[in-house]
Amino acid sequence: MEDFRNSVAERFLRYTKFDTMSNAALAGVKRPTTDGQLKLLEVLKAELEELGLETYLGPEAVVMGLLKANKENVPTIGFMAHVDTADDVDGNHVKARRFVYEGGDIVLEGGTVIREDENPDLKNFISREIITSDGTTLLGADDKAGVSEIMEAVKYLTQHPEIKHGDIEIYFTPDEETGSGMSMFPYSRLKSKCCYTFDGGREGEVEAECFNAATIELKVSGVSMHLGSARGKLVNAITVLSQIITTLPMAESPEATDGRYGYYSVLEIGGTNVEAHAQLFIRDFDRESFERRIEQSKLIANNIASLYHAKIDIKTTISYRNMAEANRKVPEAITSIMEAGKSIGLDLYETIIRGGTDGARLAETGVSCPNIFAGGINFHSLEEWIPVDSMNSAVNLVLAIVSWWANK
């Protein structure tokens, strides 16, 4: 493998300085939802242009770069990553730390500790470089690591024309963490036979299957009454909504499931006794079980609202579908990854993702879009970290995939 450790780490550190935390409250209202995302997208467009690629950045707030083929009759393929970071904890004002890990717990600022016993992967990187935040924010490896790895590979390809390839499309998207990143994607420009997202976790992971995902918005309207004379008259919207939430099966919640088991999860609740609202996430790998969960949730909500004589409004939105079907239709998508990994000595394994990526939305159009590791650990948390070696492996895997398609 080529050694990109220093260059990809420095690139990643540079990108982490952009404040790109997305804002779910503005999804569908503002594109992208935060200004920092657009600033980074503009920088990426300029960097691709400097490398000689044709570029596009329109109202969709998606950067597209096209590296023209230097070999005929090779299928067009794409690589994709997202620029926004999650808002589970503060994702802005990142002060990244790059250092050689010498073993033991990693003590960061603000009382944040990356514990050795809770991070078994750490032992594989003793005396190797890793990157963390300063402990007051997340790091942003999800998915600025993917952005950095793709950019490093593109730069190398432009500097080494002896590496043959077909047309290569590069996509950098906003607002993946809000679920709206692909809502305005320039699908008409996409020509790729398959597209690879570098948005996965630890080194070696290749994800060909993800959840089916839906969001159910519950809005309960009650009846206000002076509490001193409320008997038989007051309909408390908070009481109704609380009863709905507690009736959902706790044994089928995120904190009680793993593997292929789906779940119900309430991630937002608010309001008053007159009007209250909640946001319910539904996730399942199996389509029939997914549809059953949606219907079961609506049945519970309607029945309890009726019992309390409350009015309820239910809105269901499908966020994304399991990408497995699209990936099965283009078997070369997974084959190319596995054989490319073998050619550079990478130990890859296929797994499932208990979540979704922009690739899942792309797969709905019929374009195969498996998800590949970017190398980060503990995404969406203050304990996030990434090994520089894993980022180096990802860059080399991009190059190996490009070569596989050119030589198959």
Side-chain angles (χ1 to χ4, degrees):
M1 290 196 290
E2 298 292 333
D3 187 358
F4 297 99
R5 285 174 295 184
N6 188 61
S7 58
V8 74
E10 288 299 317
R11 183 183 293 276
F12 173 64
L13 291 171
R14 178 158 55 86
Y15 293 161
T16 62
K17 295 177 182 178
F18 288 82
D19 291 343
T20 61
M21 184 173 68
S22 50
N23 184 350
L26 295 178
V29 177
K30 181 180 179 182
R31 180 81 176 190
T33 60
T34 51
D35 294 337
Q37 294 182 69
L38 185 57
K39 291 179 181 178
L40 179 52
L41 288 166
E42 290 171 341
V43 167
L44 293 170
K45 179 178 185 293
E47 291 182 354
L48 288 171
E49 287 176 348
E50 289 175 7
L51 293 172
L53 276 70
E54 297 178 8
T55 66
Y56 170 82
L57 174 59
E60 306 92 342
V62 174
V63 169
M64 176 187 174
L66 176 62
L67 179 61
K68 298 292 290 184
N70 59 15
K71 182 178 180 180
E72 295 182 353
N73 301 317
V74 178
T76 300
I77 60 172
F79 297 94
M80 183 161 62
H82 64 89
V83 300
D84 65 314
T85 54
D87 63 357
D88 300 68
V89 298
D90 188 5
N92 290 334
H93 320 297
V94 174
K95 299 179 180 64
R97 302 287 186 262
R98 177 184 176 188
F99 57 93
V100 175
Y101 174 63
E102 299 294 359
D105 295 346
I106 302 171
V107 180
L108 302 173
E109 295 178 18
T112 299
V113 180
I114 303 175
R115 301 189 182 281
E116 183 182 26
D117 60 351
E118 296 176 358
N119 290 267
D121 294 280
L122 277 173
K123 68 178 183 296
N124 299 322
F125 298 99
I126 293 175
S127 299
R128 313 293 290 181
E129 280 195 318
I130 67 170
I131 302 175
T132 71
S133 74
D134 67 351
T136 64
T137 69
L138 53 69
L139 175 60
D142 180 12
D143 187 29
K144 289 175 182 173
V147 173
S148 303
E149 292 151 4
I150 292 169
M151 284 295 299
E152 277 298 303
V154 170
K155 180 179 179 180
Y156 189 81
L157 288 169
T158 62
Q159 294 174 338
H160 293 269
E162 72 275 10
I163 300 177
K164 300 305 178 184
H165 57 82
D167 282 351
I168 299 173
E169 297 179 330
I170 307 299
Y171 293 98
F172 297 126
T173 61
D175 290 310
E176 191 266 359
E177 300 293 356
T178 72
S180 65
M182 301 296 286
S183 298
M184 292 179 61
F185 187 83
Y187 290 102
S188 62
R189 294 177 176 271
L190 182 74
K191 301 296 186 294
S192 293
K193 179 182 179 69
C194 67
C195 187
Y196 306 87
T197 52
F198 274 74
D199 190 19
R202 61 178 43 84
E203 181 176 335
E205 291 182 347
V206 178
E207 296 158 333
E209 188 173 357
C210 67
F211 275 138
N212 294 288
T215 300
I216 300 179
E217 303 283 348
L218 302 174
K219 180 180 177 182
V220 178
S221 300
V223 176
S224 180
M225 189 62 57
H226 189 284
L227 300 183
S229 55
R231 179 167 178 154
K233 302 174 184 177
L234 173 69
V235 178
N236 190 324
I238 293 176
T239 300
V240 176
L241 194 54
S242 298
Q243 187 64 48
I244 292 171
I245 293 170
T246 56
T247 303
L248 295 170
M250 281 301 297
E252 299 177 51
S253 63
E255 55 267 43
T257 57
D258 58 13
R260 299 187 65 84
Y261 289 96
Y263 61 74
Y264 307 84
S265 180
V266 177
L267 289 189
E268 181 181 309
I269 183 170
T272 67
N273 68 332
V274 178
E275 189 170 277
H277 64 272
Q279 186 180 77
L280 172 62
F281 280 16
I282 304 295
R283 301 288 188 268
D284 209 300
F285 286 94
D286 180 77
R287 183 176 288 238
E288 289 186 7
S289 296
F290 175 64
E291 302 292 345
R292 175 186 58 78
R293 288 184 188 280
I294 292 173
E295 294 308 312
Q296 185 71 15
S297 301
K298 292 161 66 174
L299 182 63
I300 289 172
N302 280 316
N303 285 349
I304 290 177
S306 177
L307 179 65
Y308 283 89
H309 303 289
K311 179 182 176 181
I312 187 166
D313 180 66
I314 304 174
K315 179 183 177 182
T316 303
T317 303
I318 304 299
S319 304
Y320 52 84
R321 297 282 187 179
N322 191 338
M323 60 185 174
E325 184 175 343
N327 287 331
R328 281 194 291 266
K329 289 180 179 178
V330 186
E332 299 101 318
I334 299 300
T335 300
S336 62
I337 301 170
M338 296 304 182
E339 293 190 0
K342 188 181 300 182
S343 72
I344 56 175
L346 271 183
D347 185 17
L348 304 180
Y349 58 96
E350 189 174 335
T351 184
I352 58 176
I353 177 172
R354 285 180 59 83
T357 68
D358 283 345
R361 294 285 299 275
L362 194 60
E364 292 178 38
T365 69
V367 177
S368 177
C369 199
N371 190 43
I372 301 172
F373 71 89
I377 309 291
N378 299 336
F379 287 162
H380 296 206
S381 77
L382 300 178
E383 295 82 30
E384 186 180 1
W385 61 282
I386 187 168
V388 173
D389 283 354
S390 295
M391 298 177 71
N392 183 63
S393 294
V395 179
N396 278 280
L397 184 56
V398 174
L399 298 175
I401 290 170
V402 167
S403 294
W404 185 90
W405 281 101
N407 298 298
K408 79 181 188 74

